[in-house]
Amino acid sequence: MTAPFPQTAFAPDPEAEDALILVLPKGRILGECGPVLARAGVAPAADYLDDDSRRLRFPTNDPKLDVVRVRPFDVATFVAYGAAQIGICGADVLMEFDYPEIYAPLDLGIGACRVSVAEPAGAASEDSRQWSTVRVATKYPNIARRHFAARGVHAEVVHLNGAMELAPGLGLSRLIVDLVATGGTLKANGLHETEVIAHVTSRLIVNRTALKTKPEQIGAWIARFRAAVGS
Amino acid sequence: MDDQAPPNPALLPAGLRDLLPPDAETEAAGVEAAMAVFAGHAYRRVKPPLLEFEESFVGGSGAAVAEQSFRIMDPDSHRMMVLRADMTPQIARIAATRLAAHPRPLRLSYAGQCVRVRGGGPGTDRQVPQAGIELIGADSAAADAEVMLVAVEALAALGLQRPSLDLTLPTLVPALLENAGMDAATQRILSRALDRKDAAEVARHGAAMAPLLTDLLLAAGPAAPALEALRRANLPATCRDLAGRLADVVGLVQRAAPRLRVTIDPLEFRGFRYHTGIALTLFAPGRHEELGRGGRYFSTDGEPATGITLYADAVLRAAIPRTERPTVFVPAGSDLAVAQTLRAAGFATLGGLDAVTDNTEEARRLRCSHVLVAGEPVPVVNHPSSAADTETDN
């Protein structure tokens, strides 16, 4: 059988709910989340920004809201499975996983970058329409497959978790599909961006069931974040 | 490949499971309790087969579940058969054929197992026990409200007193986009953005529709403000009728069940895509899975119908665990009439097959709650079944 879930369906007082969990992505975006959280009135325990802190779950100034930080790709998973009710997540991650259980009601306008195709700067120019298949190194296998399938090319994906930029030079792949912020890393590794698949920013995401069953609570948080980004 | 270890015999295909004691009994009893409520409202039970011909299943409302269905070839007729992924299309077929001459509205109930190619969400089962009702041949707010209230009563019979009813209008988004004269590509992008409640994308691609769509997107939530937003919205005539029907249904449901939590999500249109009017999903607070789904659809031959299906496994995971029946160890050679009296009093009796030296110890070993001593059931102290079962079997 499945692991037991909390038996909250019979809580005598419907207001006596567990604290909501807000899940944040570690790394690049976390710093940019700070001002948005502050404007939304969320003040997590001070060490949430400290990479060396061993804590993963942090209380906030609101007793009904706790913050957890996980790897950016895991934010979507936590929210999709309902382990966290709200989260901040890059649109790239949402595109890759495409969980139907996640709603993305608000563009926070932070973490702007793009998912792009890049190839070695000196690569012989080829007519990509003639390709049947192309080998692509990426941490976004679904995005890469969809992108090339839409133009009739089968993407043979080499799934890497980092250092994609090395792949073409070492003969691992013809192209890479990766997140590009400034293009500096590409250039430093002799690659150039040939195509932008999507421009992405970070979104406020919520779990579908949580929104259905706690519409007042979740709706209030969406409204606070909406006010915080001034839209 | 032949150097691989032999597969573990306990391994089942993804999404399939064995139900063990006491869960298998709980599920069966739960389904029967729900069916008893359905029968009490004169929904009479039918039992369609597990397999049927692909054309007749997929031809009607089953088209919406075609891609979710396993298929096998019938060696007898050489025609393709479908393993049902949903029972509603089967009930619609029965209503339109074998029960075509029965007076309308026709009320039918059913319970059975369905199998899907993929589960309904992350980590969900592929085999789903369904128990449901269909009300065929009536197109009115009263009919919509009736199935909702009967389903809520069935949940209450299973101990779920505080379900939450989410109402949606699956045809509203397609009608709005169609009415705005948008091209197919934009409709596709917008539909997807609306499905994921991606307000930024809706604003970007919605053009003149953006304010209306954004307004309705934000209206998802408690019934009263959502109905108010629908009233305020400048909807085309067909959509206004739909919104009016929704308000009528909410009124009827809230009058009959004032404490039921009702939410509305006007722009949701997911699920099996055969719904043509108000659709509904049942949730339990604090749970991540749906307890049931239903809504208005056109039955075979275009007959108006509405119905609801409870997912028995999800319902029972949300319900209070049943207390297990006390079991009395009846030593070999005891008076059988005493055991019969105990069974009549609600005990289960476990008969010893051979004489043993210590009956109490034997009762404990076999996880009985009681042992028969001098014709009386005596509780077994520290019997392991309660602790072990609650810790491992959930």
Side-chain angles (χ1 to χ4, degrees), chain A residues 135-156:
Chain A
R135 193 186 287 182
V136 185
T138 185
K139 60 178 172 186
Y140 301 103
N142 293 324
I143 294 177
R145 274 192 208 103
R146 269 205 307 271
H147 173 74
F148 286 101
R151 43 199 65 199
V153 179
H154 173 78
E156 189 189 321

Side-chain angles (χ1 to χ4, degrees), chain A residues 150-165:
Chain A
R151 43 199 65 199
V153 179
H154 173 78
E156 189 189 321
V157 170
V158 180
H159 190 173
L160 299 178
N161 290 309
M164 254 66 61
E165 294 83 358

Side-chain angles (χ1 to χ4, degrees), chain B residues 21 47 97 149 158 165 177 191 213 236 239 285 287 318 327 356 369 381:
Chain B
K47 183 193 166 208
T97 55
L149 291 167
L158 296 168
L165 175 65
L177 300 189
S191 299
L213 293 175
C239 301
R287 305 279 310 175
T327 303
V356 291
S369 59
V381 195

Side-chain angles (χ1 to χ4, degrees), chain A residues 11-209:
Chain A
D13 175 8
E15 301 311 313
E17 308 265 4
D18 291 339
L20 290 185
I21 306 283
L22 167 67
V23 57
L24 299 176
K26 274 196 278 200
R28 191 175 61 91
I29 310 290
L30 189 60
E32 289 190 56
C33 290
V36 177
L37 293 179
R39 282 199 299 276
V42 180
D47 56 339
Y48 91 102
L49 278 172
D50 176 6
D51 274 343
D52 296 329
S53 171
R54 295 194 175 244
R55 278 212 284 187
L56 296 172
R57 180 171 176 159
F58 306 87
T60 69
N61 55 329
D62 185 335
K64 288 193 166 180
L65 185 76
D66 278 6
V67 161
V68 300
R69 7 166 257 204
V70 302
R71 294 171 61 157
F73 269 67
D74 295 339
V75 171
T77 310
F78 272 67
V79 174
Y81 282 78
Q85 291 75 33
I86 27 182
I88 294 180
C89 182
D92 53 321
V93 176
L94 296 178
M95 280 172 69
E96 173 63 20
F97 287 117
D98 200 24
Y99 285 120
E101 288 305 303
I102 292 181
Y103 288 152
L106 184 61
D107 186 347
L108 296 172
I110 57 172
C113 48
R114 50 200 188 268
V115 178
S116 290
V117 182
E119 64 176 20
S125 73
E126 280 181 45
D127 184 354
S128 62
R129 283 173 301 186
Q130 296 188 4
W131 294 347
S132 298
T133 171
V134 63
R135 193 186 287 182
V136 185
T138 185
K139 60 178 172 186
Y140 301 103
N142 293 324
I143 294 177
R145 274 192 208 103
R146 269 205 307 271
H147 173 74
F148 286 101
R151 43 199 65 199
V153 179
H154 173 78
E156 189 189 321
V157 170
V158 180
H159 190 173
L160 299 178
N161 290 309
M164 254 66 61
E165 294 83 358
L166 289 172
L170 298 178
L172 197 52
S173 70
R174 169 80 173 74
L175 307 170
I176 68 169
V177 167
D178 200 9
L179 203 58
V180 181
T182 61
T185 316
L186 291 181
K187 206 163 289 169
N189 288 282
L191 300 176
H192 78 132
E193 198 175 346
T194 54
E195 201 176 350
V196 176
I197 298 178
H199 289 276
V200 301
T201 47
S202 291
R203 304 297 169 93
L204 183 74
I205 60 174
V206 302
N207 175 269
R208 172 171 178 262
T209 310

Side-chain angles (χ1 to χ4, degrees), chain B residues 183-219:
Chain B
D183 61 82
T186 313
Q187 285 196 26
R188 217 168 27 245
I189 294 172
L190 262 181
S191 299
R192 199 187 149 70
L194 289 168
D195 183 58
R196 302 300 158 93
K197 301 215 186 305
D198 188 338
E201 286 288 296
V202 171
R204 194 167 304 141
H205 298 282
M209 296 285 288
L212 171 65
L213 293 175
T214 306
D215 208 31
L216 292 178
L217 207 55
L218 296 179

Side-chain angles (χ1 to χ4, degrees), chain B residues 41-109:
Chain B
H41 287 272
Y43 285 79
R44 302 188 62 200
R45 189 163 181 166
V46 290
K47 183 193 166 208
L50 279 172
L51 293 161
E52 53 180 272
F53 287 124
E54 185 179 21
E55 302 97 277
S56 48
F57 186 81
V58 172
S61 47
V65 291
E67 62 173 29
Q68 280 282 33
S69 306
F70 282 97
R71 288 167 173 77
I72 41 179
M73 200 192 64
D74 180 8
D76 182 33
S77 66
H78 287 204
R79 290 170 66 188
M80 287 307 286
M81 301 191 298
V82 168
L83 184 52
R84 67 183 176 207
D86 185 27
M87 290 181 75
T88 301
Q90 299 188 298
I91 311 304
R93 175 180 55 72
I94 291 174
T97 55
R98 270 178 254 291
L99 297 181
H102 265 61
R104 277 10 187 198
L106 179 63
R107 289 173 169 84
L108 297 176
S109 64

